[in-house]
Amino acid sequence: MAGPELPPLLRQLGGDPLGLGRAARSKRSAELTPRTTTADRIVQSICPYCAVGCGQKVYVKDERVVQIEGDPDSPISRGRLCPKGAASENLVNSASRETKVKYRRPHGTEWEDLSLEQATEMIAERLIAARNATWEDETDDGQPLHRTLGIASLGGATLDSEENYLIKKLFTAAGAVSIENQARI
């Protein structure tokens, strides 16, 4: 009788001298199943915290994230995650996570909820208004400029190369000159 009902020391003496296998397993732990085995699907992702770009495996069950682990196939992190990346499941499932667009009017003191469509329209209208108000068609001596200094773009560390390329194209086409990304590693 070498099952989990024996004391750990006796289980160690019965064939697990280092206490790394069955000797360390309790009756309760022997009955547990990992959250990852019950997942409906696994989604490849990138950690959202810094510019390193560690690979993550996101385990989804019933359209809810149940676990996030490092991706051993990632050439960057090889399955490892920092403490923030390892805790990113909390970022997704936190009860205090904001899921609506919040807006505070100029000189306002309260936040209000906006629909995504309304917020997108407001951003587009303000981008166009800023571009029109600050457009420089030519220099004082008649040289063409076709630019605006009234809008700028600052990309973040979690944007991938393709997203940065598209953002650069969009803002360049809008005439912006100040286009930068803080993730320069």
Side-chain angles (χ1 to χ4, degrees):
M1 186 158 97
E5 60 278 347
L6 287 176
L9 175 64
L10 293 178
R11 285 187 300 216
Q12 265 185 276
L13 295 174
D16 188 8
L18 297 178
L20 300 175
R22 62 190 166 129
R25 191 175 307 138
S26 69
K27 182 177 181 181
R28 181 178 177 279
S29 65
E31 296 169 354
L32 293 175
T33 58
R35 287 180 295 232
T36 57
T37 59
T38 61
D40 298 329
R41 68 178 195 267
I42 303 170
V43 180
Q44 303 281 128
S45 187
I46 304 292
C47 181
Y49 281 107
C50 72
V52 175
C54 296
Q56 291 183 323
K57 286 189 172 192
V58 180
Y59 295 85
V60 180
K61 179 171 180 58
D62 299 328
E63 296 306 308
R64 185 175 181 278
V65 174
V66 293
Q67 180 71 12
I68 296 178
E69 296 180 350
D71 184 358
D73 295 331
S74 169
I76 295 166
S77 56
R78 296 176 298 186
R80 296 166 187 84
L81 293 174
C82 71
K84 281 185 172 184
S88 57
E89 182 267 335
N90 274 341
L91 177 71
V92 176
N93 292 322
S94 172
S96 61
R97 179 183 180 192
E98 290 291 345
T99 59
K100 297 177 183 156
V101 176
K102 297 288 187 184
Y103 177 68
R104 190 172 69 190
R105 298 189 181 279
H107 309 288
T109 58
E110 300 292 324
W111 292 96
E112 59 184 273
D113 294 340
L114 296 181
S115 69
L116 183 58
E117 293 76 23
Q118 184 181 1
T120 304
E121 281 296 318
M122 288 171 69
I123 292 168
E125 288 169 3
R126 291 173 184 189
L127 181 78
I128 292 167
R131 182 181 185 269
N132 290 341
T134 60
W135 186 256
E136 299 175 0
D137 205 34
E138 57 185 35
T139 64
D140 292 338
D141 59 349
Q143 295 296 316
L145 281 176
H146 307 299
R147 72 175 187 192
T148 178
L149 300 177
I151 56 176
S153 172
L154 175 62
T158 59
L159 297 171
D160 61 28
S161 296
E162 292 80 10
E163 290 165 326
N164 279 314
Y165 175 81
L166 292 173
I167 289 169
K168 167 75 171 145
K169 292 298 240 182
L170 169 70
F171 280 93
T172 300
V177 178
S178 303
I179 305 167
E180 186 58 73
N181 189 299
Q182 61 90 15
R184 295 185 154 250
I185 61 170

